[in-house]
Amino acid sequence: MNYRIAYSFGFHPWEDAAVDPPFVAKITELFEREEEGRQPPYGSVLDIGTGSAIWGVELAKRGWQVTGIDIVDKALRRGRERASTAGVDMKFVQGDVTKLEHADVGAGFRLVLDSGTFHDFDEARQWAMGRGITAVAAPDATLLLLAWPKRRRPLIRGASREEIERAFPEWEITHVEPSHFRLPKPMQWLLRPDEHWYRLRRP
Ligand SMILES: C[S@@+](CC[C@H](N)C(=O)[O-])C[C@H]1O[C@@H](n2cnc3c(N)ncnc32)[C@H](O)[C@@H]1O
């Protein structure tokens, strides 16, 4: 998908997930799992392809120290506004997540979140993103990665479990769980997202 064009037309259906109770309940459960047994501040998060920072701001409100990176200016502008309205601090970086080594994101992230970026990349870019994330993540980091299954469809390529394993060879998939994301009926039928959260850790 060309995200620059999508944002310029105000086309961002993934943001509807924020008002879809089953999706919100599931992502909240995933965040709670990473916070279990600890008190805020929980540590640093890198929000990959943060978009308008819906989930980055949510994590900041929960007590994480969040850095969001996105390639599209307009998305970042909306993200800054969202953070300011919510009254939370969040660092925003404009950059390419397949070239993280050139982006000023920092390192040592305890949590890396990707809600919808990796699964639109070809394998070369998936590997580049995997190498970049591995370099900036803390040794005991968790990666939460959302992916549609790989199949022929318009707009989103999707990614298979094997592709995720190849892009993150030093990581281990610990959980695969449905996200409960729902599109409006005609889009659901056309795109068949059937998306899942993959949770990865380094053994
Ligand atoms: C499906 S949207 C998800 C946005 C956000 N994570 C959310 O859940 O609301 C994917 C995001 O990845 C960003 N993106 C796509 N390719 C990128 C790249 N190479 N580097 C950085 N961001 C990218 C897009 O601009 C878009 O904001």
Side-chain angles (χ1 to χ4, degrees):
M1 165 157 357
N2 186 321
Y3 285 100
R4 211 173 293 278
I5 293 178
Y7 280 111
S8 74
F9 281 101
F11 177 76
H12 31 65
W14 51 87
E15 296 187 2
D16 296 347
V19 288
D20 189 17
F23 184 93
V24 174
K26 185 66 202 181
I27 197 170
T28 303
E29 184 190 314
L30 301 186
F31 294 160
E32 284 169 355
R33 182 188 286 150
E34 304 313 319
E35 296 161 358
E36 203 176 321
R38 307 173 64 239
Q39 295 296 318
Y42 295 115
S44 57
V45 188
L46 180 60
D47 185 13
I48 291 281
T50 189
S52 67
I54 289 172
W55 305 113
V57 165
E58 179 59 27
L59 285 164
K61 285 202 249 174
R62 297 179 70 90
W64 292 82
Q65 182 193 339
V66 188
T67 298
I69 175 169
D70 205 284
I71 204 160
V72 180
D73 264 346
K74 185 169 181 190
L76 290 169
R77 271 204 305 279
R78 293 178 61 232
R80 284 191 190 94
E81 277 169 29
R82 189 187 300 282
S84 154
T85 304
V88 294
D89 271 338
M90 180 172 158
K91 176 177 166 183
F92 289 93
V93 175
Q94 184 178 19
D96 184 340
V97 299
T98 66
K99 294 177 184 152
L100 271 182
E101 66 280 13
H102 301 304
D104 178 27
V105 291
F109 293 98
R110 216 195 124 229
L111 178 62
V112 180
L113 175 71
D114 172 24
S115 55
T117 307
F118 176 91
H119 72 163
D120 206 21
F121 291 156
D122 60 26
E123 273 219 75
R125 299 175 83 210
Q126 289 177 351
W127 290 11
M129 176 173 156
R131 281 193 300 273
I133 287 178
T134 303
V136 300
D140 62 345
T142 297
L143 167 62
L144 297 175
L145 188 148
L146 191 63
W148 291 16
K150 191 176 172 191
R151 59 167 69 110
R152 285 170 71 87
R153 67 162 81 74
L155 294 178
I156 296 289
R157 174 189 184 276
S160 66
R161 179 184 176 120
E162 292 71 28
E163 285 177 337
I164 295 170
E165 286 169 342
R166 284 197 289 274
F168 295 94
E170 295 166 33
W171 300 65
E172 189 175 274
I173 296 174
T174 65
H175 297 71
V176 183
E177 295 157 285
S179 76
H180 306 308
F181 177 61
R182 294 173 301 182
L183 283 165
K185 272 276 184 304
M187 278 174 89
Q188 183 78 25
W189 175 81
L190 179 70
L191 301 177
R192 291 185 293 148
D194 185 24
E195 74 178 15
H196 283 72
W197 282 108
Y198 289 79
R199 178 180 186 269
L200 291 87
R201 301 266 304 167
R202 278 191 281 191

